[in-house]
């Protein structure tokens, strides 16, 4: 990585933090708020895990032995290969309660999480998890005993002590105890009404993320040496990890309670353990569950029109989005600017150590933060818990550097890094990602204007905007300067490979979020990207409202107003992006339709043998023109609601949406029209179509939101918009529900031909927007 020259103590610009007070230092995120969010299920990449929002936390987690085809497998980190029939938080309030169901080939586990802060608890309070195990005996070979493993580990490598003595375990439930600077003395207890056996192992190692391999190795050795499947009841000196194996005949339930502050108030600790286990735990969980149901009804089903299936899927979507919120700590790897324009990855440099509290798109596939995904997540989350939402957005904005740039994908810490192939790790400072957080901020501003929030909430929201304003301005400026195009008021996603790549059918635009959605065949600085132009309108519009309504003593609203006016100018938009022949909106750039992949003998790099590869052939020279790929991009002006409700162009847009040979399917709208030359085309040999046909929920939500808007606007197309709105809404909901029933999951995208879920799953990132679609909750403005 890049070294700084001696004597130069300035940081390279790209890793210099934005020079302004941190949002997370605001009073509203300190004190009680901070403490109330200290512990949580913030380890979305494991099936069940608890940690605190601190860099070197005490972490806890669950593993179990799954049985498939008569063989045992250790389950721990969420992975597709485990082939669970379903898993996910069916309910979770993001704060102190959650219930998860996991079905693993005849074994059903439940994890119910509860937090409580009472007199005597240490910082952050106490928590408990009730683990339930049920088994469905599928054959005689399947043993009755189930093995679950619960571990507690100290990332700070403080030693953990084993409970008083193993023989006393039945009377005294203490498994482990220790002491930390943050929470004081702590104890971990296990109680159950069922018969069980406990074995343990103590380990000393900094490599917590390899724990499943370690435990599996130890168990394997035990089986080979002694013929039994039991942890050895031994320990390294001063272990920082203790793993307990709980073996019992299913069905059984085990309550695990974690109490803090025990050094100060040891007497009360026992009371607290009692209250966090047994019937008391069960009844508290029950109460929290009812509260969750009530809150869901109030926010997403006020007129009680949702049927029971919608309710079940809706709750699981919200539950897993909230239950999947994670806390990460570490340093992003940034591609050093000098090399960022080149194709090969040059030197990388580390961003400052940072923490990120964020929702994640998919627990097994992408358990980390993605900038533009987060805006969609927050559309749901702010409606559930505005405070959590501001806490998350605050963390993201605090990741901004002095240039106003925020790295798109956040891979923080060893655990996160271990899941990402090397070529995807480095973040490029020239690349953006849609500023979807403005969707949420705009809702908050409009909600404020409409007195939607309580007095206390309003005060916090105001303080939040006051503090964020400088960062938001810098963010806006970053886009407005670095992503601008040649023509006034034009923008394009920079960082598409300038030197034309010969292996891709169409050079990708990862920064847009729409990856392989086809753009101009030959990237140049003549390009104009319609989606980015519309994102800029959203940003300018939102900055205008924020500066005018919420931030004292600033004059910048005028400039934002001007920009928003320019970008929403219908004639100008049409001049730059409208194709009269197609009656549709397009990108603009150096383009030819006549490209294809052909197998050719090429030498991929200097020392390799020539091999047969698919290589792009340009059959006809490109010219500067509109880029005629009909699809999601074409609908961005519609999404932005720029089109006047009386314009004939609106009718054209409605035709495009409702036409089965272009975008309409029974399951939602295709990303790319069937008529596009790139429809369902592979981009390289190894790169199947992604945003070239399948149905994506985030964009469908935005389109639906506009249909809803036009179905309320006076004009000749009002009724048509309403009809299409109702049908599209119904199609999206019923397809997601059908897939959930059939497969047990929400999916990353849906097949445009069969409606079946595709790609990553469970994917409760933006696919959870189906809840807002059920609730008919769209923009607050
Ligand atoms: C690659 C490979 C196991 C792709 O939801 C996150 C993003 C979106 O922001 C983006 O718009 N997804 C969408 O086009 C998933 C991206 C995953 C990239 C990481 C690593 C891991 O292989």
């Amino acid at each position: 990585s890049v070294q700084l020259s001696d004597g130069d103590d300035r940081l390279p610009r790209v890793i210099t933090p934005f020079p302004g007070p941190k949002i997370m230092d605001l009073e509203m995120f300190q004190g009680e708020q901070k403490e109330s969010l200290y512990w949580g299920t913030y380890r979305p990449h494991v099936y069940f895990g608890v940690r605190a929002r601190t860099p070197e936390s005490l972490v806890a987690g669950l593993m179990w032995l799954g049985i498939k085809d008569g063989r045992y497998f250790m389950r721990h980190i969420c992975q597709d290969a485990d082939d669970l029939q379903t898993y996910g938080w069916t309910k979770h309030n993001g704060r102190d309660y959650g219930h998860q169901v996991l079905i693993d080939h005849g074994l059903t586990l439940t994890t119910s999480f509860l937090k409580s802060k009472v007199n005597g608890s240490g910082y952050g309070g106490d928590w408990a998890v009730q683990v339930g195990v049920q088994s469905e005996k599928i054959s005689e070979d399947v043993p009755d005993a189930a093995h679950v493993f619960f571990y507690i580990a100290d990332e700070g490598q403080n030693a953990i002590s084993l409970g008083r003595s193993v023989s006393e375990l039945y009377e005294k439930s203490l498994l482990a105890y220790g002491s930390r600077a943050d929470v004081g003395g702590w104890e971990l207890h296990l109680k159950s009404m069922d018969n069980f056996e406990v074995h343990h192992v103590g380990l000393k190692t900094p490599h917590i993320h390899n724990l499943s391999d370690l435990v599996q190795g130890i168990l394997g050795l035990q089986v080979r040496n002694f013929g039994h499947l039991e942890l050895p009841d031994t320990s390294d000196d001063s272990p920082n990890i203790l793993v307990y194996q709980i073996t019992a005949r299913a069905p059984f339930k085990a309550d695990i309670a974690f109490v803090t502050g025990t050094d100060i108030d040891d007497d009360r600790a026992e009371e607290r353990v009692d209250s966090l286990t047994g019937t008391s735990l069960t009844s508290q969980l029950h109460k929290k569950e009812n509260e969750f149901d009530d809150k869901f009804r109030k926010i997403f089903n006020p007129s009680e029109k949702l049927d029971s299936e919608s309710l079940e899927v809706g709750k699981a979507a919200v539950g897993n989005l909230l239950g999947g919120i994670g806390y990460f700590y570490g340093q992003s790897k940034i591609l050093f600017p000098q090399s960022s324009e080149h194709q090969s990855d040059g030197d990388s440099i580390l961003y400052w150590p940072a923490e990120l509290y964020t929702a994640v798109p998919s627990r097994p596939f992408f358990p980390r933060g993605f900038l533009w995904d987060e805006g969609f997540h927050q559309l749901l989350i702010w409606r559930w818990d505005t405070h959590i939402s501001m806490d998350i957005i605050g963390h993201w904005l605090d990741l901004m550097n002095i240039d106003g740039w925020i790295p798109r994908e956040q891979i923080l810490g060893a655990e996160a890094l271990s899941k990402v192939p090397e070529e995807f790790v480095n973040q490029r400072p020239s690349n953006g990602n849609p500023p979807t957080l403005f969707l949420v901020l705009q809702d908050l501003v409009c909600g404020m204007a409409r007195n939607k929030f309580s007095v206390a909430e309003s005060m916090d929201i105001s303080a939040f905007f006051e503090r964020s304003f400088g960062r938001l301005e810098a963010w806006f400026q970053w886009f407005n300067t670095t992503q601008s195009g040649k023509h006034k008021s034009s923008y394009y996603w920079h960082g598409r490979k300038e030197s034309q790549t010969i292996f891709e059918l169409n050079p990708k635009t990862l920064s847009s979020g729409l990856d392989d959605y086809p753009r101009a065949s030959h990237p140049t600085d003549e390009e104009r990207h319609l989606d980015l132009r519309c994102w800029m309108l959203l940003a300018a519009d939102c900055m205008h409202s924020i500066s005018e309504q919420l931030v004292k003593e600033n004059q910048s609203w005028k400039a934002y107003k001007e920009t928003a006016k320019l970008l929403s100018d219908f004639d100008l938009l049409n001049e730059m992006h409208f194709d009269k022949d197609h009656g549709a909106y397009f990108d603009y750039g150096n383009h030819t339709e006549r490209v294809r992949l052909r197998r050719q003998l090429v030498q991929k790099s200097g020392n390799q043998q020539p091999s047969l590869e698919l290589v792009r052939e340009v059959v006809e020279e490109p010219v500067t023109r509109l880029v005629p790929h009909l699809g999601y991009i074409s609908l961005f002006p519609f999404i932005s609601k720029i089109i006047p409700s009386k314009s004939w162009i609106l009718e054209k847009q409605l035709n495009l949406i409702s036409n089965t040979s272009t975008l309409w399917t029974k399951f939602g709208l295709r990303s790319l029209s069937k008529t596009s030359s790139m429809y369902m085309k592979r981009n390289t040999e190894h790169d199947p179509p992604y945003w070239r046909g399948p149905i994506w929920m985030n964009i469908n939500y935005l389109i639906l939101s506009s249909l809803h808007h036009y179905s309320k606007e006076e004009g000749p197309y009002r009724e048509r918009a309403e009809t299409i709105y109702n049908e599209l809404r119904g199609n999206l909901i019923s397809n997601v529900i059908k897939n959930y029933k059939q497969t047990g999951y929400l999916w990353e995208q849906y097949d445009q031909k069969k409606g079946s879920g595709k790609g990553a799953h469970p994917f409760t990132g933006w696919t959870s927007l189906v809840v807002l679609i059920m609730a008919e909750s769209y923009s607050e403005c």
Side-chain angles (χ1 to χ4, degrees), residues 361 365-366 368 370 372-373 408-409 419-421 424 433 510 512-515 690-691 696 698 748 763 766:
F365 289 82
F366 322 123
R368 51 185 181 274
F370 288 83
W372 90 302
D373 294 61
R408 171 168 68 104
E409 187 176 344
K419 282 226 154 192
V420 186
F424 293 102
N433 204 206
L510 292 174
S512 73
L514 308 179
D515 297 18
Y690 198 39
W691 292 84
W696 295 78
N698 56 340
E748 183 184 20
F763 187 101
W766 56 47

Side-chain angles (χ1 to χ4, degrees), residues 748-760:
E748 183 184 20
Q749 358 143 8
Y750 292 88
D751 186 89
Q752 74 279 11
K753 287 196 210 92
K754 304 192 204 91
S756 44
K758 288 178 76 159

Side-chain angles (χ1 to χ4, degrees), residues 153-166:
D154 195 313
E155 292 181 323
Q157 294 197 63
N158 298 301
I160 295 179
S161 309
L162 192 64
R164 279 162 199 143
S165 79
V166 179

Side-chain angles (χ1 to χ4, degrees), residues 212-229:
S212 9
D213 295 346
L214 280 175
V215 174
Q216 200 166 329
I218 294 167
L219 274 179
L221 212 60
Q222 288 288 104
V223 171
R224 276 197 297 283
N225 291 348
F226 309 106
H228 50 225
L229 199 60

Side-chain angles (χ1 to χ4, degrees), residues 632 635 638-639 641 654 657 664 667-669 696-712 721-733 769-779:
Y632 286 169
L635 290 173
F638 179 77
I639 290 173
K641 302 170 186 145
L654 295 174
I657 291 172
W664 187 268
F667 317 108
L669 300 179
W696 295 78
M697 193 57 67
N698 56 340
I699 306 294
N700 271 279
Y701 172 77
L702 296 177
I703 294 168
L704 205 56
S705 180
S706 278
L707 283 167
H708 187 254
H709 165 80
Y710 286 112
S711 75
K712 307 269 179 246
E722 187 173 358
T723 310
I724 298 176
Y725 166 78
N726 285 324
E727 275 185 44
L728 178 57
R729 174 173 177 268
N731 289 347
L732 289 164
I733 296 174
L769 288 172
V770 71
V771 176
L772 295 188
I773 295 176
M774 289 174 183
E776 308 200 69
S777 256
Y778 306 108
S779 163

